[in-house]
Amino acid sequence: MAEAINDTSITKVKAQKSMSPWAVARRKFLRNKLAMISLFFLMTVSILSFLAPYITTVDITRVNIGSMSLTPSSEHWFGTDKSGRDVFTRLLYGGRVSLLVGISCTLLIITFGTLIGALAGFFGGIVDALLMRFTDFILNFPLLVFVIVLNAVFFGKLGGVPVLIAVISVLGWGGVARLVRSKILSEKENEYILAAISIGSRPAKVIMKHLLPNVLSTIIVQATLTFAAMIVVESGLSYLGFGVPAETPSWGNMLAASREPDVLQNMPWIWIPPALTLVFTILSINFIGEGIKDALNPKSLR
């Protein structure tokens, strides 16, 4: 019996060795039940949100005095708010805005931070010093305070959501740049990188073809954490009234209704759906990130 178990273990190890690292990582990720449940939930929320115009035809901006503050019913699944607007419909459209802000900010932050970090780590010297001092300058700014100030200054001139995305992205890439730089500094000392440099490969080719693919796992994990953080930032700013315009539904704007004591105590159907959706979305993104981290870790036994 013991010999059979040992033979099975040896066979599994040999099978894993014959697979590529990405295939092994994919296999381990698919076996992570919590990560897969979270991925299913996140995909469901995203699909429902971005298909909102095809799911419901209710006008999200129309104020209906005759339907103000209705409790959940078959006509209004999650009830209506104090303006008579359907909460379920606003929840779907709010998900579009919150997820769009999170995805856009994440892509910009990861792209810019990876670029700065890769250049600083590869070239070193004066290039590294200049780029890192610029990064320190960015990191010294309190993100939320400057987002509130800059968004308030430019909000009426250039529009709300695009400016919010731009401001958050411009001030949020410093941590990613430092992380990528540290990984590049460690990776570029390997023999295959030194060999590529010695035969005259262009810096752009070395960075894109050799360095970045080998730190991609770290970047992917950081992207999931950034995605969750950006949704929280958008919701917090919108809750305070400095994020997405009030007339545009987002999960943060919907939560802002809970600042009124009457709504908080007597109308839970107005703020509980966006609150729960936000909490479970953030948790699902973090669980996916942890699943990816475990899958990409060669020492993981999962």
Side-chain angles (χ1 to χ4, degrees):
M1 184 68 179
E3 293 180 358
I5 294 175
N6 290 333
D7 291 340
T8 304
S9 301
I10 293 173
T11 303
K12 288 183 179 180
V13 171
K14 289 182 178 180
Q16 284 194 353
K17 287 184 177 180
S18 65
M19 299 170 64
S20 68
W22 288 105
V24 174
R26 182 175 65 251
R27 184 177 181 181
K28 289 196 291 185
F29 180 76
L30 293 176
R31 288 181 174 179
N32 190 324
K33 294 182 180 179
L34 185 58
M36 293 306 298
I37 293 172
S38 300
L39 180 62
F40 175 77
F41 175 82
L42 183 61
M43 290 181 63
T44 301
V45 171
S46 301
I47 292 172
L48 291 176
S49 297
F50 286 101
L51 293 181
Y54 304 97
I55 296 175
T56 177
T57 58
V58 178
D59 187 354
I60 58 174
T61 60
R62 181 183 177 185
V63 176
N64 190 344
I65 299 177
S67 301
M68 295 173 61
S69 304
L70 296 180
T71 57
S73 63
S74 58
E75 184 178 359
H76 301 284
W77 293 354
F78 292 169
T80 61
D81 61 15
K82 298 186 73 173
S83 297
R85 297 170 297 189
D86 185 71
V87 173
F88 176 73
T89 302
R90 286 176 59 80
L91 186 67
L92 294 182
Y93 278 89
R96 297 179 73 189
V97 175
S98 295
L99 292 173
L100 178 62
V101 171
I103 292 172
S104 301
C105 290
T106 299
L107 290 176
L108 291 172
I109 287 173
I110 293 298
T111 300
F112 198 60
T114 299
L115 176 63
I116 296 295
L119 292 176
F122 179 78
F123 288 105
I126 187 65
V127 175
D128 182 26
L130 290 175
L131 290 177
M132 285 301 99
R133 297 299 75 74
F134 179 58
T135 302
D136 292 338
F137 176 75
I138 293 296
L139 288 172
N140 283 333
F141 287 102
L143 176 63
L144 292 180
V145 174
F146 271 82
V147 169
I148 291 173
V149 172
L150 294 178
N151 198 36
V153 171
F154 295 109
F155 175 79
K157 300 178 181 178
L158 302 177
V161 176
V163 171
L164 181 64
I165 293 173
V167 172
I168 293 176
S169 301
V170 167
L171 297 177
W173 56 267
V176 176
R178 281 195 166 278
L179 176 64
V180 173
R181 171 184 175 271
S182 66
K183 293 295 182 180
I184 293 293
L185 284 173
S186 174
E187 193 68 26
K188 77 172 186 178
E189 298 300 326
N190 290 328
E191 293 181 358
Y192 72 96
I193 299 295
L194 299 176
I197 296 174
S198 65
I199 63 176
S201 297
R202 293 176 300 171
K205 182 178 181 180
V206 176
I207 293 174
M208 297 300 297
K209 187 176 181 180
H210 299 292
L211 285 174
L212 287 183
N214 285 284
V215 300
L216 186 60
S217 59
T218 300
I219 296 173
I220 292 174
V221 173
Q222 185 63 30
T224 60
L225 300 177
T226 303
F227 183 30
M230 291 304 102
I231 294 178
V232 172
V233 169
E234 179 280 320
S235 299
L237 290 170
S238 298
Y239 178 83
L240 296 174
F242 296 101
V244 176
E247 63 273 10
T248 303
S250 75
W251 292 337
N253 279 341
M254 296 180 69
L255 284 173
S258 64
R259 290 183 296 180
E260 301 180 25
D262 181 45
V263 174
L264 185 63
Q265 298 176 7
N266 303 318
M267 304 176 189
W269 64 85
I270 294 179
W271 59 270
I272 284 182
L276 291 178
T277 304
L278 180 62
V279 168
F280 286 127
T281 299
I282 300 302
L283 285 176
S284 67
I285 295 173
N286 286 327
F287 286 143
I288 292 170
E290 286 297 319
I292 295 174
K293 182 179 178 180
D294 289 340
L296 295 175
N297 183 4
K299 297 180 180 180
S300 174
L301 299 178
R302 188 181 298 276

